[in-house]
Amino acid sequence: MPKMKTKSGAKKRFTLTGTGKIKRKHAYKSHILTKKSKKRKRNLTYFAIIDKVDEKNIRMMIRS
């Protein structure tokens, strides 16, 4: 059986931490930024950890 390929979209969007958790970026930070407050834009800058319910699917997508 051939190797399982990584989904290229998931490869670009998720990264693994040293402890094995999966990091993601926040949405709503790419355009129409004038109506959003400075505080909101600043908080969207930081990475987030994915939820437990999504972890199995995302791990399947980013496996190598």
Side-chain angles (χ1 to χ4, degrees):
M1 189 165 169
K3 291 182 182 178
M4 300 300 289
K5 289 189 175 181
T6 301
K7 302 278 189 220
S8 61
K11 178 173 55 178
K12 296 169 192 171
R13 287 172 172 81
F14 301 107
T15 54
L16 284 172
T17 63
T19 56
K21 296 176 183 173
I22 303 171
K23 288 194 305 188
R24 66 170 177 85
K25 294 275 277 189
H26 281 102
Y28 308 112
K29 185 71 197 302
S30 57
H31 62 104
I32 315 176
L33 297 173
T34 53
K35 62 176 80 170
K36 295 170 187 157
S37 69
K38 285 183 181 181
K39 180 181 179 180
R40 183 173 166 193
K41 289 186 282 192
R42 183 173 63 246
N43 288 332
L44 289 173
T45 299
Y46 307 119
F47 280 93
I49 303 296
I50 62 157
D51 289 331
K52 194 76 173 169
V53 293
D54 301 321
E55 191 168 349
K56 182 181 174 186
N57 288 330
I58 294 171
R59 281 197 189 278
M60 283 179 60
M61 288 191 282
I62 61 174
R63 69 187 182 278
S64 315

